[in-house]
Amino acid sequence: MPGIIPHRHCVVCGKAIEPDHQVCSEECEEVLKKERKRQRNFMIFMFAILLLLLLLMWMPIFQS
Ligand SMILES: [Zn+2]
């Protein structure tokens, strides 16, 4: 009964793995790390844009 055994799926390739694991292999671990880094960079980028917009709104040219 394979459906009864508690397990998770590799978040990268979807392979069945141990419940305390997140990925099935070191390769998938690398992919996950890269994806997280990419997402973090994107968040930093968005935050920078937001700060820039706030800064622009505070500029005197927009307050007259
Ligand atoms: Zn995998």
Side-chain angles (χ1 to χ4, degrees):
M1 292 178 278
I4 309 293
I5 300 161
H7 69 282
R8 297 180 61 178
H9 290 278
C10 172
V11 293
V12 178
C13 69
K15 231 168 100 176
I17 45 166
E18 299 278 309
D20 56 332
H21 283 63
Q22 210 175 8
V23 288
C24 67
S25 62
E26 275 180 37
E27 286 81 39
C28 284
E29 176 83 51
E30 281 301 307
V31 174
L32 190 67
K33 270 185 199 165
K34 274 180 192 160
E35 178 65 16
R36 276 186 182 154
K37 203 173 170 184
R38 196 185 66 78
Q39 279 178 356
R40 202 190 57 198
N41 286 345
F42 180 72
M43 287 298 285
I44 290 166
F45 175 73
M46 289 304 282
F47 188 67
I49 295 286
L50 201 72
L51 272 179
L52 202 70
L53 277 171
L54 279 172
L55 210 68
L56 280 170
M57 270 156 49
W58 274 76
M59 275 180 147
I61 192 167
F62 289 103
Q63 288 178 358
S64 57

